Amino acid sequence: MKKLLSIAALLIFVASTAFAQSEDGKASSGSIYSKIGIGYPVDLGNTAAQSMGLMGVSFSETFVGTMANPAHWGGTVYGLGAGSIGLDSYSASTNTATAENTNFSVGQFQLQLPIIRGELGLSGSFSPVTEAKYRTFEEQTSINSQGEPLGYNIENRGTGGLNRGELGLGWQINSNISVGYAASLYFLSMDDSYVARFPQSPYRDANFAIETSGYGFGHRLGTFIRLPDFLQDDDQLGVGLSVNFPLELNSERKQTGKIDNGAVNLTKNLQNGDGPIKLPTKVGGGVSYSPSNLLMVGVEGLYEGWSAYENDFKPSENQMFTDRYKVGMGVQYLPYASGSTKFLSQFKYRAGASYDTGHLDIDGQQINTLKFALGLGIRSPRSNSSIDLSLEYGIRGTQSSNLAKENIWGVRMTLNLAEIMFFRPKLQ
């Protein structure tokens, strides 16, 4: 365990160092499309699924926690904990400009405990649902009060998003069927700031910020069906389904700061005060098949009804949202399950790909994403804990209609802690 934690600390240090160094040449930012609405959706599941282009609704691992499907919690045997971090590099280009930036993010944290081992389990977690982290910069020219041209630039930065704290139960009814339920409290916190600078004039900088906050209560249900010996001895078919019900946030918006310096009016036509933000139904489902305990393949899909999204503060943006469909296919290989003691047999190997139609339709262009992923699981030599690493490459958006096309490289690391008090030590 100490060796595993040392590896995790080293990887966190390397990721943090890379992030710090990247700030010299790149902006600390994420996708430009996170500027629309309340941020870009964050897909979270179990750590194996992230390396396979999947969510994880159709399979689970005994020693790895999962948030994808509440029904999986019913099979909890050992106390499990998980936490993740990620580093993404974005290279965006339009027909007239290019930009590069990086984004360091903290993913989900989860604690999964058995109440009745293998029958009733509890999960508590905190995770991001959407993330807004963007920066835009533009240079403009206006006419000052003396009728002379005035050059200035405007920088717009956004941070924040929607987060979720969740508590739920899973019940394994019998060896074939499990169900689960989770209740959630959602927190919205976003800052959208504007700064106008006048480098060649005596005018002072002008700035203002738009702050949006809110909260709401959500619910989701899940079911999981396992069919052992489906086609042959020792194989298994898994079928999973998870449903997030529509959510309404009680939100507040306010504007702060100086918005007019006498030379350039930065006033926005904003709808401030109180108002609702409505989020859509989310349905995820899939099928996994394991011909043996060495190999698993899975196909999963996601539907989100974003055409029903409403934001009382940004009614003009509502028409940009469209229903989202995502499909992924992945494979997992666990050579150590054969009993092999070779060095390369001690790891978990994963690969997959996904296609996402996206939830945005801008000027008739749907912002889709094609993503590929590779994963490596590093097992602890002394326990069932592990570190899961994944490398992702994705292409998002289009340059049509002068929109941005993004090439995205991502690295994820998740530390999975599995309880060891129930293991009997080997005799020395």
Side-chain angles (χ1 to χ4, degrees):
M1 177 65 71
K2 291 182 179 180
K3 183 177 180 180
L4 187 70
L5 292 176
S6 298
I7 295 174
L10 177 61
L11 291 172
I12 292 173
F13 173 76
V14 171
S16 302
T17 302
F19 171 67
Q21 291 175 344
S22 69
E23 290 186 312
D24 296 334
K26 299 181 181 180
S28 175
S29 180
S31 173
I32 185 60
Y33 294 109
S34 69
K35 179 178 173 64
I36 302 173
I38 58 172
Y40 208 84
V42 177
D43 292 328
L44 297 174
N46 62 37
T47 57
Q50 293 175 345
S51 303
M52 300 167 61
L54 306 176
M55 297 167 290
V57 295
S58 64
F59 67 95
S60 63
E61 294 185 48
T62 303
F63 302 109
V64 177
T66 176
M67 294 171 53
N69 189 344
H72 291 320
W73 304 332
T76 305
V77 177
Y78 306 103
L80 306 173
S84 67
I85 59 174
L87 182 66
D88 295 289
S89 174
Y90 294 82
S91 177
S93 61
T94 66
N95 292 328
T96 57
T98 61
E100 294 186 354
N101 51 70
T102 59
N103 180 30
F104 179 79
S105 60
V106 177
Q108 77 267 29
F109 288 91
Q110 183 199 21
L111 183 63
Q112 189 174 322
L113 300 172
I115 298 177
I116 302 176
R117 294 180 60 190
E119 183 176 342
L120 186 65
L122 171 72
S123 172
S125 63
F126 185 83
S127 61
V129 180
T130 68
E131 182 182 46
K133 196 170 185 181
Y134 55 86
R135 173 183 179 269
T136 63
F137 183 86
E138 58 180 323
E139 296 180 342
Q140 297 186 9
T141 302
S142 182
I143 303 298
N144 63 18
S145 57
Q146 286 78 36
E148 299 173 342
L150 175 65
Y152 64 98
N153 59 67
I154 297 179
E155 182 182 37
N156 175 211
R157 287 182 178 267
T159 58
L162 182 65
N163 295 285
R164 179 183 72 191
E166 182 180 72
L167 188 65
L169 289 172
W171 176 32
Q172 184 167 306
I173 300 174
N174 54 44
S175 60
N176 300 109
I177 302 175
S178 300
V179 295
Y181 166 78
S184 308
L185 177 59
Y186 288 79
F187 303 89
L188 175 65
S189 178
M190 293 182 62
D191 293 327
D192 191 18
S193 63
Y194 294 81
V195 178
R197 298 183 177 90
F198 308 87
Q200 304 298 328
S201 76
Y203 293 111
R204 294 179 298 175
D205 293 349
N207 64 83
F208 71 94
I210 304 164
E211 300 175 359
T212 306
S213 60
Y215 69 93
F217 296 95
H219 309 270
R220 65 177 178 134
L221 294 173
T223 184
F224 177 61
I225 299 173
R226 61 179 63 80
L227 301 174
D229 302 329
F230 182 69
L231 296 177
Q232 61 186 18
D233 291 341
D234 299 325
D235 73 345
Q236 178 173 290
L237 181 73
V239 181
L241 179 69
S242 178
V243 179
N244 290 54
F245 294 99
L247 169 69
E248 181 171 314
L249 301 174
N250 299 310
S251 305
E252 178 185 8
R253 191 180 195 186
K254 61 182 179 179
Q255 182 176 304
T256 61
K258 187 174 182 179
I259 62 175
D260 190 352
N261 74 334
V264 176
N265 192 337
L266 295 179
T267 303
K268 293 285 185 178
N269 184 19
L270 298 174
Q271 185 174 345
N272 295 319
D274 300 328
I277 297 177
K278 298 180 180 180
L279 300 180
T281 301
K282 176 180 178 180
V283 181
V287 178
S288 66
Y289 176 68
S290 302
S292 69
N293 58 358
L294 296 175
L295 182 67
M296 187 208 70
V297 294
V299 178
E300 295 183 347
L302 171 70
Y303 164 77
E304 293 181 349
W306 281 97
S307 59
Y309 169 83
E310 295 182 13
N311 189 334
D312 195 51
F313 303 120
K314 297 181 178 181
S316 61
E317 288 187 354
N318 293 345
Q319 61 184 357
M320 296 182 182
F321 290 82
T322 187
D323 290 346
R324 177 192 182 196
Y325 299 89
K326 180 182 178 181
V327 61
M329 178 180 294
V331 59
Q332 174 178 260
Y333 180 56
L334 309 176
Y336 61 86
S338 67
S340 173
T341 58
K342 295 180 180 180
F343 175 75
L344 294 179
S345 298
Q346 302 308 305
F347 301 94
K348 307 175 183 180
Y349 300 94
R350 305 182 180 105
S354 64
Y355 177 74
D356 185 350
T357 65
H359 70 303
L360 298 175
D361 189 317
I362 306 173
D363 294 334
Q365 302 293 328
Q366 201 153 352
I367 310 303
N368 50 39
T369 304
L370 177 63
K371 186 174 287 187
F372 304 91
L374 293 173
L376 181 69
I378 305 173
R379 302 169 60 236
S380 170
R382 297 179 181 273
S383 73
N384 287 288
S385 299
S386 65
I387 292 175
D388 284 335
L389 305 174
S390 67
L391 175 66
E392 302 173 352
Y393 171 69
I395 304 171
R396 175 179 296 157
T398 175
Q399 290 182 340
S400 300
S401 302
N402 202 32
L403 296 174
K405 182 178 181 180
E406 298 177 331
N407 290 280
I408 308 167
W409 286 96
V411 179
R412 302 278 182 274
M413 185 192 76
T414 303
L415 176 62
N416 301 298
L417 298 178
E419 190 172 293
I420 61 174
M421 66 177 62
F422 298 113
F423 291 95
R424 186 183 301 275
K426 294 181 180 180
L427 295 176
Q428 301 297 326

